[in-house]
């Protein structure tokens, strides 16, 4: 009886007891992992597992069933080479990206994160309509007219809520700096 496993859209017959794949895996897996690692594969175990899967799927296409180990070695070499080529290309693309802006010191990052948290807490404490107006105007970058249409209020009301919200935020953040 042949067991089957469905992986995505492909149904793969599982190895049968006594067909030699388990013994082949047990005897050569770690040696092939060392081969892949020595060839420079950063994910040597994955390379070898993929080679075993390819062998299993193509086992009937092998002209000589005794050539399975040679097929695995060749597959590991090719996959390692392919992965290295991919890494070189990725590194080349990464080198072409603009350099990130200086993040500053760790202390600077902590102070900036605290300021952002304080601002978000202050926005959360605003009355609902003022918070909605600020979020629509400044986070979503909507115009006064678009904000008014979204909220179903007049553009003048948007201006008034925006002014009140900004004043309230200024007072709250100034009070927190004084603490």
């Amino acid at each position: 009886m042949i067991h089957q496993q469905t992986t995505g859209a492909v149904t793969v017959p599982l190895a049968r007891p006594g067909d030699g794949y388990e013994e082949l895996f047990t005897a050569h897996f770690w040696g092939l992992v060392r081969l892949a690692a020595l060839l420079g594969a950063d994910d040597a175990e994955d390379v070898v597992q993929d080679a075993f899967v390819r062998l299993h799927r193509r086992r009937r296409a092998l002209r000589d069933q005794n050539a399975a180990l040679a097929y695995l070695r060749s597959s590991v070499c090719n996959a390692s080479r392919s992965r290295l080529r991919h890494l070189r290309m990725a590194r080349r693309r990464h080198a072409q990206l603009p350099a990130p802006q200086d993040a500053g010191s760790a202390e600077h990052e902590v102070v900036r994160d605290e300021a952002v948290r304080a601002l978000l807490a202050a926005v959360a404490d605003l009355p609902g309509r003022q918070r909605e107006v600020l979020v629509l105007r400044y986070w979503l970058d909507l115009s006064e007219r678009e904000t008014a249409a979204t909220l179903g209020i007049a553009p003048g009301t948007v201006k008034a809520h925006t002014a009140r919200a900004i004043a309230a935020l200024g007072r709250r953040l100034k009070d927190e700096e004084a603490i």
Side-chain angles (χ1 to χ4, degrees):
M1 177 178 182
I2 298 176
H3 299 284
Q4 292 185 341
Q5 175 182 13
T6 302
T7 56
V10 178
T11 300
V12 180
L14 295 176
R16 290 182 231 153
D19 65 3
Y21 288 101
E22 185 175 343
E23 293 82 9
L24 186 66
F25 183 86
T26 302
H28 297 285
F29 179 78
W30 290 110
L32 291 168
V33 168
R34 281 190 297 278
L35 173 63
L38 289 170
L39 292 174
D42 61 335
D43 51 352
E45 286 183 45
D46 289 341
V47 167
V48 174
Q49 287 174 2
D50 290 345
F52 271 100
V53 168
R54 281 192 299 281
L55 170 66
H56 185 63
R57 287 183 177 157
R58 297 182 43 94
R59 68 181 180 273
R60 288 190 183 92
L62 286 177
R63 283 181 238 138
D64 179 9
Q65 291 300 318
N66 295 324
L69 183 56
Y71 176 88
L72 285 169
R73 287 183 184 134
S74 176
S75 184
V76 167
C77 289
N78 290 336
S80 296
R81 191 177 313 113
S82 177
R83 303 261 175 137
L84 286 173
R85 189 171 37 248
H86 171 75
L87 284 174
R88 276 194 306 271
M89 288 175 36
R91 287 181 184 133
R92 203 173 304 137
R93 274 191 230 118
H94 184 279
Q96 293 172 350
L97 294 175
Q101 295 177 354
D102 265 346
S105 67
E107 292 84 5
H108 173 76
E109 292 298 313
V110 168
V111 169
R112 186 185 56 82
D113 289 347
E114 279 299 316
V116 169
R117 274 193 284 277
L119 175 62
L120 292 175
V123 168
D125 286 344
L126 289 172
R129 186 64 76 177
Q130 290 179 10
R131 183 175 54 249
E132 292 168 354
V133 167
L134 281 186
V135 169
L136 291 171
R137 289 277 292 127
Y138 298 106
W139 270 273
L140 293 183
D141 203 27
L142 298 181
S143 68
E144 288 173 356
R145 194 173 303 283
E146 291 168 325
T147 301
T150 300
L151 296 175
I153 57 178
T157 307
V158 170
K159 289 180 185 178
H161 282 302
T162 301
R164 289 185 197 125
I166 290 173
L169 286 177
R171 285 190 302 272
R172 165 105 185 246
L173 295 174
K174 186 177 178 186
D175 291 344
E176 285 186 13
E177 285 179 4
I179 294 177

